[in-house]
Amino acid sequence: MRLRSVTFAVFTLFFGVLASSPIRAESASVPGRMIVGGWQFRLAASTPDASAHREAQQWHSATVPSTVQTDLLRNGLITDPFTGAHEAQLQWIGLADWEYQTMLNVDATMLTHDHLDLVFDGLDTYATVRLNGQQILQADNMFRHWRVPVKGFVHSGANELTVTFASPVRRLLPVTLKRAFQLPGEFDSAFGDEPKGVQTANYIRKAAYQYGWDWGPRYVTEGIWQPVRLQTWDIARVDTLHVLQNSVSADAASLDAQLRIESSGAIKTIASVTYVTPKGDHVSIPEVAVQLVPGSNTLHVPIVIEHPDRWWPVGYGPQNLYRVSATIKVGHETLTAERVTGLRTVRLLRDKDQWGKSFGFEVNGVPIFAKGADVIPFDSFPDRVTPEQHRGILESARDANMNMVRLWGGGYYESDDFYDECDRLGLMVWQDFMFGGAIPPDDPDFRANVEQEAIEQVDRLRDHPSLTLWCGNNEVETGWDAWPDRMLLKQNISPAERAKIETGMSLLFDDILKRTVAVRDPEVPYWPSTPSANHETTANSNDNGDVHSWNVWSGSAPIEDYLKDTPRFVSEYGFEAMPDMRTIRAFASPAEQTLDSPVLRAHQKFANGNGNDRLLVYLRRYFGEPEDFPAFVYLSQVMQAEAIELEAEHLRASRPRSMGSLYWQLNDCWPAASWASIDSFGRWKALQFHARRFYNDLLVVPIRQDGTTTVYAVNDRTVPVQANVHMQVMNFDGRILSDSTAPVTMPPLSSTRMNSTTDDALLKGADAASTLVVFTMEVDGKAVSRRLLYFRAARGLKLPHATVTAHVTAGTHGLELTLRADTLASDIWISFGDQDVTLTDNAFTLLPGESRTIPIKSSAAAAALERALHVQTLDAATMPSMAGAGD
C-alpha cells in the first residue's frame, strides 16, 4: 500500500497489521523493521452480566486494526452480522467493555534513542491505555491521532500494553438521562438500550451511522480501528509537509513548501526541497539554512513553477500531480518527507443573479456543473474496507461520468487511499465534518475536542487537489430550523436555554471549523452546513445555497414534483430500490424472500422496516402490481432509475440556474434495500447504468410537463459543439409517425432550450398509450445521447409482449452479448444467475428491430453464460390488465 502522507527516516515499529485505511499515514523509510502481531482481546469483567458470555471472557486472538465485532466474528464467537436477522442478538457487544493486550518487545538499541513514542492512529472511542500497568492515555475521540512519549514507562524486553474500551452507550446514558431536556439526535434505537427520544451519540466524537440509520444497522463498534506504532527519534522528527498554493494560474504557480519539525533542542540544519513534475522532470530548490528551536518549528521554502501542469476535474483536463520532497540534515541523520499534490484553484461561486444567489464550483477559472452522488461508509465495520473496494466504487463513479462525490458527515473521515483515488480519477470531493444531524452539546470541552480533531484532519487532507469544499455538518442547521422534534424542543425550553444551544452551534460551525479551514487550508472554501444559505435566508432555500430535496420519496410526492422546483444546487435527493437478487440471496434464503419476512424487514431500515410499503406505493402508482418478488426487485430499480434521472436531467437542463446534482447515495455499508446505486457487493443497480447516460457531457433532455414537452441540449464541454437532434414519433410496433431533425449549436458549458411542443402536436391523433418519442443527439454523425419519452406512466401503456433474442459469443476482443428485439423491449435487465459477469451496459430499451452488442467480462465460458442468461423486460414484470389506467 502506498501511504500518501509524511515519510521520515527514523526508526518505527508497527504493532498489528497495517490497516488498509489509515487515518494518519506515517511510515518508516528504514527497511527491515518487522510488523508485529500478538494482540489478544476479551470481554472485560466490568461488563454487567459478563457471565452470560463466558466464552468471550477468555483471551482470544485479535487482529489490529479491527473492531470487537470483526474479532468476535473471526474467532467464530458470533454469527455473521450481515446475514439473516441477527442484529438484535448482537447488540450486547456495543453495550460491553472490552480489553486488548499485546507484548511490546523493546531492545536495548531502541532505548538508546532520546525519544520513544507510542502512536495510535485511531481508537474507537473511550479508551484507557496502560503500559506495564501504568495509565498513559485516556482517549475520547474516534477521529483523532494520539502520540504518547513512553520511554520512561518501558524497559528492555517484553512490555505489556493494554487498551480497555468502555461501552459508549453505557458510559453516557446515565449522564444523558439526568439532563433537564434531551438534545434531538438522529435515529432512536430499535432495541431498547436507549429509551425512545434519548440518544447518547450527540455527546461523543464517534461515527454516528454505527448507532443505526435508515439505510444501515445499529452496530456500536469499539476497538483499535487504526494502526499502532512505536517510534524512536533523537534530536528532531518530521511531523508534516504541506504545499501551500499561494497562487496558481496557467502562467505560474507560487507555492510555499511548509515543513513542520518537532525538535528537542536548538540546532542548526540545512533544508532542501525537490519536486518531480507530472512529466517526470526533477527540479531542485536551493538549500536553506535553518535554526531549529526546542518544540515545534515550521520551515518555509518558496517554490515558483512557470507554466504549471494543473490538476483538473475529470472531463476538463488531465489529473496532473506533483511529488514534492523535503530533506533536512540533523547531525549525522537525514530526515525526509514527501507529499503528492496537484495545482489548482477552487472557488465557491456565490453571485447574486435573477434567480437569487448562486451556488456552484469553479476550478481553474472554469465553472463546473457538479455531477455525482453522496458517499457513506463502505462497511459497518471500517477495518474491513480495502483500497480495492474504494477503487472499485470510485472508478464506477468516474465510469458513470460523475465528477464529484460528497463524503457525508455521519460516518468518518476517509482513508488516504480514498482521496488518492479521487486525485487520480479527477473526482472532486465535498468533505463534511463529522456531524450527521444531531444537535451537539454546548460544552467547551466537547468543542475543544472537535477543534483538535479538525486541525488533524484538515492537516491530513489539505494537499489533495480533489478536495473542493469543507462543510461544517450534515443537516444540523436545517434540522434546527424546521424539523418537528427540534421545533417542539424550542417551544419547551426557556429562551436562555435555546440561546445557549444556538450559541454553541454557532461557535462550532461558524467559528471553530470555519477558522480552522481558513487558517490551515485557505485554498478550499468552507460552507457552514448542508443544506444551507450561509445564514442569509432559511436553510434549504431554492434560490440561495444548496438543497436537500426529499418531498419525493420521504414525502411520498409524485416524481413529477421534481419539476416544480429549480434549486441552485441539490446536494441530496434520492429514491430507494432493492439490491441485486444475487445480493439478496447472500443474506436471505428463498423462503425469506418475501416483503414481510423478518429478514427482509431487518434489511429494510426506512420507516422502521416498513420501507417496502413505500416502494409499493410508488410501484403501484407508476407500474401496477408486481408479478412476484423478483419482479418487485426489478421494478424497484426501474422506478429508482427513472425518478433520479428525471431530477438529474431537470437540473442539468436548468444550467446555469442550477449547478449541481448529487443524488443520495452512491454506495452501501451492508446488503439492504437502500438509496444506493451500487450495492454492498459492488453490483450496479439500474440507476448506476442510467447515471452513465444522464451524466454524459453531451445530453438531449426532453422534459414533459403539463402536456408540453420542452427539449434542451446540454453541453458540459469547454468548447462549442455543433449537433443534430433527431425526433421520431413512433408507435410500439415500430411504425414511424413523424421524423424531423433540428440542428443546434451548443455554446460551451451551457444548456440550450430548443423548442416546446404539445402532446397533441406530437401525437397528431395517435394513441397516447402505445406511442413514444425517440430523441437522439448526433455529433459528427455519431449518436452521443438518446432519450425516450412516453405519454403515460408505465401502468397506462399498452406494452407489447417483448421478444428478445440473446446470444453470448467469443468475439475478437473477448466475450460479447448480442441482443435483438422484434418488438419494443422496455427497460431490459440482463442477469446471469450466480455467474460473475461485468456488463458494460444494462438497463436500457431496445426499439422494434433494434440490436445491441455489449462487451462482457467473465471467467465463465460463453456456453455457460448463455445457459445462465436471463433477460427481464417491463411488460412481464406486472400483473395483467393494467393498460389504460391513466397517466
Side-chain angles (χ1 to χ4, degrees), residues 10 81 87 162 165 191 205 269 381 437 457 493 544 649 771 825:
V10 292
E87 190 178 353
T162 303
F165 293 94
F191 305 103
R205 296 308 297 149
T269 183
F381 311 110
Q457 294 298 339
I493 60 177
N544 190 337
E649 292 187 344
T771 304

Side-chain angles (χ1 to χ4, degrees), residues 210 226 419:
Q210 295 172 337
Q226 295 296 334
Y419 302 95

Side-chain angles (χ1 to χ4, degrees), residues 67-209:
T67 63
V68 172
Q69 285 88 345
T70 51
D71 279 329
L72 288 166
L73 183 62
R74 273 187 286 265
N75 282 274
L77 300 176
I78 60 171
T79 191
D80 189 337
F82 282 5
T83 62
H86 305 307
E87 190 178 353
Q89 72 189 63
L90 298 177
Q91 292 305 301
W92 67 273
I93 302 168
L95 298 173
D97 301 336
W98 296 90
E99 295 177 354
Y100 280 72
Q101 74 169 21
T102 192
M103 301 303 294
L104 309 187
N105 292 310
V106 177
D107 60 34
T109 302
M110 296 171 69
L111 294 174
T112 63
H113 290 275
D114 294 344
H115 302 274
L116 185 61
D117 294 346
L118 190 60
V119 183
F120 294 90
D121 284 341
L123 294 169
D124 177 16
T125 292
Y126 289 130
T128 301
V129 182
R130 293 180 175 86
L131 189 53
N132 292 326
Q134 299 185 67
Q135 181 177 309
I136 60 170
L137 173 66
Q138 280 196 306
D140 61 354
N141 188 324
M142 179 180 180
F143 310 123
R144 283 182 56 185
H145 165 93
W146 310 91
R147 175 183 291 272
V148 185
V150 296
K151 187 171 182 180
F153 296 91
V154 299
H155 52 73
S156 182
N159 297 262
E160 184 181 69
L161 175 63
T162 303
V163 186
T164 303
F165 293 94
S167 163
V169 175
R170 283 200 307 108
R171 175 166 174 169
L172 288 170
L173 187 58
V175 178
T176 305
L177 289 172
K178 293 178 182 178
R179 291 182 56 90
F181 55 87
Q182 296 300 320
L183 290 175
E186 285 131 358
F187 292 90
D188 286 335
S189 173
F191 305 103
D193 50 324
E194 294 177 339
K196 186 176 180 180
V198 178
Q199 296 180 25
T200 59
N202 303 50
Y203 306 95
I204 185 173
R205 296 308 297 149
K206 176 174 170 57
Y209 81 107

Side-chain angles (χ1 to χ4, degrees), residues 805-818:
T805 58
H807 299 287
V808 180
T809 57
T812 56
H813 300 291
L815 294 170
E816 294 179 336
L817 171 65
T818 300

Side-chain angles (χ1 to χ4, degrees), residues 13-27:
L13 185 66
F14 284 82
F15 296 95
V17 179
L18 185 63
S20 63
S21 55
I23 284 300
R24 181 183 177 92
E26 292 178 332
S27 66

